[in-house]
Amino acid sequence: MTTPASPSGQQTNIRKVFYQCQLGKSDLDSLFAMACEGIPQPQVRVSTTAGETLFWKPSLAELVESVHRDAPEVHGDWANLTLQADATSQEKGVKISIDKERTEVNFSGSDTTWAYGQIARSEKFLVSRGAVFSSPRYENVITFVFLAFFVGLGAFFLIHGVDDDTVADCVNRAKNASRNDVFFNVFMTVTFSFGLLFLFFQLLKRRVSRARLKVDVDVSRDSWWSRLSNGEKIAAVVVPLTALGVLGAVATAAHNLWGK
C-alpha cells in the first residue's frame, strides 16, 4: 500500500496474496464493493494496463467502456486490473491488484478491527472463487517430478536386461521367463499406468483451475470436469485408453523379447 500515515498517528497494514482466483464480472463488482465498505467517501481509481497504455476510471464499468472504445484488441479476458480506494482523510485505504497468476489484497487503516475484518471477508470471498495460498508453480514441479519417476521406472522395467545379446543369455531369459513373478509384473504395469493417468487428469484439472480475469462475463462455478471444453473431454477419454493400449502392447513385446 502507498497510503500515507493516518492523522491518528498509527496505522495497521495487512497484505495477503492468493493464487488461481477465477473472477468474472459480477465477482469483481462484489469484491470491489465489499472492499470499499467502511471507507467514508472513498476516492476510487480502477485501472488496467493494455500494451503500453495505462487506463483508469472511477469505476469498473467506466473503465471497461473506455478500454473497449480505445483499445478494441483487448477482449474480456484481461491481463491485469487494480482497485485503489482511499478515504479523503487517509484513515482507511484498500488496494487490490489482480493479474493472470495472483491476486494481492492490501488493507490499511487506523481502525485495526476494520482492517482485519476486511481482509478476512476478502479471503473468504476469494477462496469461494478458487483461490489457494501457494503458487501452482511448486505443484507443477512436483507433478513433473512424479511424471519423470513413473516414466523412468516404466522404462527401466521394460528394458532391464536388454544389453544381454548372446545366444546363451537369450536361452537363459527364455527359461527364466516361466519362473517370473506374474504378480510383480502386473503390479508394476498397473502402478505405471495409474500413475500416468493420475498425472494426466491432474494436468487437465489445473488447466481449468488456472487464474481467470473476465470483465465482461461471469466465470462458471461448476465442477472442473464440466468446465472442460468438448475437445478436452474427448481427449480425457481417448488419451488414457490409447496410452493403456500402447503400454499393453509394449509390455507384451518386452515380455516376448526379453523375458519380462
Side-chain angles (χ1 to χ4, degrees), residues 183-201:
F183 294 104
F184 175 76
N185 292 337
V186 171
F187 171 77
M188 291 296 294
T189 302
V190 170
T191 300
F192 183 54
S193 302
F194 277 97
L196 290 180
L197 291 179
F198 171 78
L199 292 174
F200 176 73
F201 280 100

Side-chain angles (χ1 to χ4, degrees), residues 6-17:
S6 65
S8 65
Q10 65 178 29
Q11 188 178 62
T12 298
N13 295 282
I14 308 174
R15 171 183 174 271
K16 282 196 175 183
V17 177

Side-chain angles (χ1 to χ4, degrees), residues 25 29 36 52-53 58 61 63 77 82 153 163-164 201 209 232 251:
K25 181 179 183 299
D29 290 337
C36 293
E52 303 300 325
T53 305
L63 177 66
D77 206 354
T82 300
L153 181 64
D163 55 328
D164 297 333
F201 280 100
S209 299
E232 290 170 333

Side-chain angles (χ1 to χ4, degrees), residues 244-258:
L244 288 176
V246 171
L247 183 61
V250 172
T252 300
H255 174 83
N256 294 333
L257 287 176
W258 305 320

Side-chain angles (χ1 to χ4, degrees), residues 31-167:
L31 177 62
F32 289 178
M34 180 181 65
C36 293
E37 289 180 5
I39 301 178
Q41 299 179 337
Q43 296 178 334
V44 180
R45 169 173 156 155
V46 186
S47 61
T48 187
T49 300
E52 303 300 325
T53 305
L54 174 65
F55 296 87
W56 71 90
K57 289 291 180 180
S59 72
L60 179 59
E62 293 176 87
L63 177 66
V64 172
E65 181 181 357
S66 174
V67 171
H68 285 178
R69 182 182 62 250
D70 299 325
E73 71 279 4
V74 180
H75 301 293
D77 206 354
W78 287 15
N80 59 84
L81 185 65
T82 300
L83 166 74
Q84 177 84 49
D86 296 290
T88 54
S89 64
Q90 303 296 335
E91 287 281 339
K92 294 179 180 178
V94 57
K95 182 177 181 181
I96 300 177
S97 303
I98 308 170
D99 58 33
K100 285 292 189 179
E101 181 180 353
R102 66 181 194 170
T103 297
E104 181 177 328
V105 181
N106 296 261
F107 282 96
S108 64
S110 57
D111 185 343
T112 302
T113 302
W114 174 84
Y116 276 100
Q118 287 295 86
I119 199 74
R121 294 177 67 196
S122 300
E123 178 179 322
K124 182 178 180 180
F125 180 89
L126 291 173
V127 168
S128 71
R129 269 64 178 178
V132 296
F133 300 97
S134 60
S135 173
R137 291 182 178 180
Y138 302 111
E139 295 181 1
N140 291 337
V141 170
I142 294 174
T143 297
F144 283 112
V145 168
F146 273 103
L147 177 60
F149 169 78
F150 280 116
V151 170
L153 181 64
F156 173 81
F157 173 65
L158 292 176
I159 68 175
H160 178 63
V162 71
D163 55 328
D164 297 333
D165 54 4
T166 66
V167 174

